[in-house]
Amino acid sequence: MTTASSTAVPTLIGSVQRALRLLEAVGTHRDGAPAKQLAREAGLPLPTAYHLLRTLTHEGYLRRENGVFFFGAAAERLMGDGALCNRRSTMTQSLGRWRDIVGAPVYCAIYREGEIELLAVADTPEQPAVDEWATFRETGHAHAIGQCLLSRLDEKAREDHLDRHPVRPLTRYSVRDRSAFLARLRSLERTEPVIERQEYALGTVCAAIPIAAGFPAAAMAISVPLAEEERLLPAVERLRGEVASLLRSFVFSISI
């Protein structure tokens, strides 16, 4: 029987979500971006984006130079070694809890300095993580968490990544070439999980969701055996709800 706690939708703060989406958009532009572009990428009305950008700039989380926005000193402090260590510790603990809740291995990765970085994985002997037989960093086009991260980048950063890590099929189900992969990224819905079926490892299906923390692009994913594919979408939706609860506490730490 499904309990109320397993289906309850967390109470979300709309203005905080919108601010995070703007921060996330800023984080995908190495050379900064203007307000109109950030509003479009964050899916916000331009007046709303202007208001939030002014607030974030006033508080030091953004800075504006020559009409484009970059991360400010306050955001950079959050990305310092100590803060990153604390967040990684919290994330590792949370991954283990979420693994037990969704009943599947849970992965967390970020896109930083032009590379996919797998931060942590939580699995069990009974439900092992996917074996990294081909380096995750170099095969982002073939696994769900990599596809999710690359979909969050601007065109320039994405093209740069694919120049360094060319698209190549890993299994008979993998995307075959760069043009096909870029077409797939353009077709992804911003709010929907990224699904990958046997593209990285035969017999495994994966789903990934973006994490709107903005420092830098981040994503989480789960994997299940192909024979249990019906569990994939319910599990990733449960994960998304659990992550939202954790992010609220993180968001307040950068908003007050």
Side-chain angles (χ1 to χ4, degrees), residues 74-115:
E76 290 168 356
R77 286 195 297 273
L78 286 172
M79 292 185 285
D81 291 341
L84 178 60
C85 181
N86 289 337
R87 289 203 299 276
R88 281 187 173 180
S89 177
T90 300
M91 185 58 68
T92 299
Q93 295 174 13
S94 296
L95 255 61
R97 182 171 63 85
W98 294 331
R99 172 204 61 210
D100 296 339
I101 290 173
V102 304
V106 180
Y107 312 74
C108 180
I110 62 174
Y111 195 85
R112 180 167 56 186
E113 297 180 356
E115 299 293 350

Side-chain angles (χ1 to χ4, degrees), residues 161-177:
H161 181 92
L162 296 179
D163 285 342
R164 291 180 289 107
H165 303 303
V167 175
R168 57 186 178 90
L170 300 186
T171 75
R172 64 181 180 272
Y173 301 100
S174 302
V175 65
R176 310 310 294 179
D177 54 47

Side-chain angles (χ1 to χ4, degrees), residues 19-156:
L20 277 177
R21 280 153 54 188
L22 279 174
L23 289 169
E24 181 183 51
V26 172
T28 64
H29 296 280
R30 296 179 182 176
D31 301 319
K36 288 184 179 180
Q37 182 175 0
L38 294 172
R40 183 173 64 252
E41 293 177 0
L44 299 176
L46 188 56
T48 300
Y50 274 132
H51 175 72
L52 290 171
L53 288 169
R54 284 196 299 270
T55 302
L56 290 167
T57 300
H58 179 267
E59 297 298 326
Y61 294 102
L62 295 179
R63 57 186 172 86
R64 186 182 184 188
E65 295 180 7
N66 300 319
V68 298
F69 290 88
F70 303 83
F71 283 138
E76 290 168 356
R77 286 195 297 273
L78 286 172
M79 292 185 285
D81 291 341
L84 178 60
C85 181
N86 289 337
R87 289 203 299 276
R88 281 187 173 180
S89 177
T90 300
M91 185 58 68
T92 299
Q93 295 174 13
S94 296
L95 255 61
R97 182 171 63 85
W98 294 331
R99 172 204 61 210
D100 296 339
I101 290 173
V102 304
V106 180
Y107 312 74
C108 180
I110 62 174
Y111 195 85
R112 180 167 56 186
E113 297 180 356
E115 299 293 350
I116 294 169
E117 180 179 344
L118 187 64
L119 291 182
V121 180
D123 64 351
T124 65
E126 295 76 23
Q127 296 174 320
V130 176
D131 180 39
E132 189 177 353
W133 71 273
T135 307
F136 285 151
R137 178 185 296 255
E138 299 175 359
T139 57
H141 60 281
H143 47 76
I145 204 165
Q147 293 174 21
C148 188
L149 289 171
L150 293 175
S151 73
R152 316 301 285 183
L153 304 182
D154 61 30
E155 184 175 351
K156 180 180 178 182

